[in-house]
Amino acid sequence: VAEPLENYYAILRGRRRARYLECRSRKISFSRTVPDEEGWRIHREAMAGRGEVEEAETSLLDLKILLTARIMHRCHLCERRCGVDRTAGERGHCGVIEPRISSDFLHMGEEPPLVPSYTVFFSGCTFDCVFCQNWDISTRPEGGMYLPPEVLADRIERRFRGGEGRPFDMTPRNVNWVGGDPTPNLRYILQVLQSCRANIPQVWNSNMYLSRESMDLLEGVIDVYLTDFKYGSDDCARRLSNVKRYTEVVSRNHLQAAAQGEVIVRHLVMPNHVECCTKPVLDWISEHIPDSLVNVMRQYRPLHLAGDYEDIARPLGHREFMEAQCHAERLGLNLVG
Ligand code: SF4
């Protein structure tokens, strides 16, 4: 799997710097009161490799944090575009106000190239999946605890240094931002990275329902996008996750993720959804982002509210999974897991 994750492995081997370190070392000049439009123009220039000012006291990462904070005044971090002022304590659809961490630990159950993965689980989510396997986290945005960004950065640093020299190498290979979904916590994540020093890849583990603006802000920060591509049909997405324009938004963001990082796509095969969802999703990957790694997942369980939905009220059948797996193999996808 070295080729689809070439940049990731180069960071692990110390041959490249993680993108967030590059972003923080790019000096650009802007004022804290810069109008939005001008701030985005400076951002575009910087992302195109222009506008560096050696003596500037502000960095590209500082600008990204400022622009994220502006978005939160009329929140459109995700495509629900609630428009609430989260900085004034208003709750949008996800219910997240301040970032609450439900747990952070060394995850050994992710895809083999990612393990061990220092995983940070945020409370709350932008989706309402009736089958959510993490519903205890995703439906309680006020659960868990707030850690100041520099405290979490210190925990990351200590994990990164503390694993070296042990009998089994328990040094995390990445920081894995997940939930629920990490999207409502983008500003906080950038603030954590402002205090980090470790050359460690950053993984964005998400449902990929971000706004265009959030995707633009992730560019130059995230090394690997570990995505969920659940549905091949907007009707299924509306009925089971309460989201609109799913295929348009999520496919758009996958294209952007593949252009600005490396991608591992997860697809959870669900009972009775092989024809309407699994096959169209795998076909799309094959056509549009064939270099990505793909994990066709069989671990569906009818949790949370799934028992109320006849089509998904049972575990996945063996035949259904094999049909999905064989379809992926026929397409020649880079399968992992
Ligand atoms: S992140 Fe939350 S508040 Fe912001 S647009 Fe999405 S659902 Fe609404």
Side-chain angles (χ1 to χ4, degrees), residues 69-265:
R70 299 270 179 87
I71 288 177
M72 290 171 68
H73 283 295
R74 292 184 306 278
C75 192
H76 49 282
L77 285 176
C78 85
E79 281 292 355
R80 288 201 187 271
R81 295 186 173 266
C82 300
V84 296
D85 186 353
R86 286 179 48 210
T87 63
E90 291 177 19
R91 285 183 202 276
H93 188 93
C94 63
V96 176
I97 296 180
E98 71 171 4
R100 308 285 294 187
I101 294 170
S102 130
S103 61
D104 62 321
F105 59 93
L106 211 53
H107 201 322
M108 306 303 285
E110 301 290 51
E111 284 74 1
L114 302 179
V115 172
S117 179
Y118 181 67
T119 306
V120 181
F121 282 86
F122 289 103
S123 303
C125 189
T126 57
F127 276 12
D128 305 327
C129 303
V130 297
F131 54 89
C132 183
Q133 317 280 297
N134 283 341
W135 62 271
D136 53 332
I137 299 170
S138 63
T139 62
R140 294 177 184 148
E142 69 291 343
M145 64 187 290
Y146 175 77
L147 288 178
E150 55 283 1
V151 172
L152 183 56
D154 185 53
R155 287 167 76 87
I156 293 169
E157 294 286 326
R158 280 190 286 120
R159 285 277 188 178
F160 187 65
R161 289 193 306 269
E164 292 165 357
R166 291 188 185 167
F168 300 102
D169 189 358
M170 297 300 281
T171 312
R173 301 177 104 187
N174 50 75
V175 181
N176 183 350
W177 303 102
V178 66
D181 198 85
T183 305
N185 306 294
L186 177 56
R187 177 179 59 167
Y188 174 80
I189 292 167
L190 298 176
Q191 288 170 331
V192 173
L193 295 179
Q194 207 170 33
S195 300
C196 279
R197 297 286 176 274
N199 188 27
I200 184 167
Q202 301 299 312
V203 176
W204 186 260
N205 185 342
S206 167
N207 60 28
M208 298 304 280
Y209 201 66
L210 295 81
S211 62
R212 271 185 198 281
E213 295 89 334
S214 295
M215 283 300 297
D216 288 346
L217 293 167
L218 290 182
E219 184 179 6
V221 175
I222 295 299
D223 300 289
V224 176
Y225 293 83
L226 178 57
T227 72
D228 272 336
F229 204 147
K230 300 181 201 295
Y231 302 109
S233 143
D234 284 346
D235 287 344
C236 298
R238 195 176 310 113
R239 194 166 65 86
L240 300 178
S241 291
N242 186 25
V243 282
K244 295 176 184 160
R245 298 167 48 232
Y246 178 87
T247 54
E248 172 207 327
V249 171
V250 172
S251 58
R252 177 195 79 200
N253 287 341
H254 273 81
L255 289 175
Q256 187 163 347
Q260 65 194 34
E262 292 169 332
V263 181
I264 303 175
V265 189

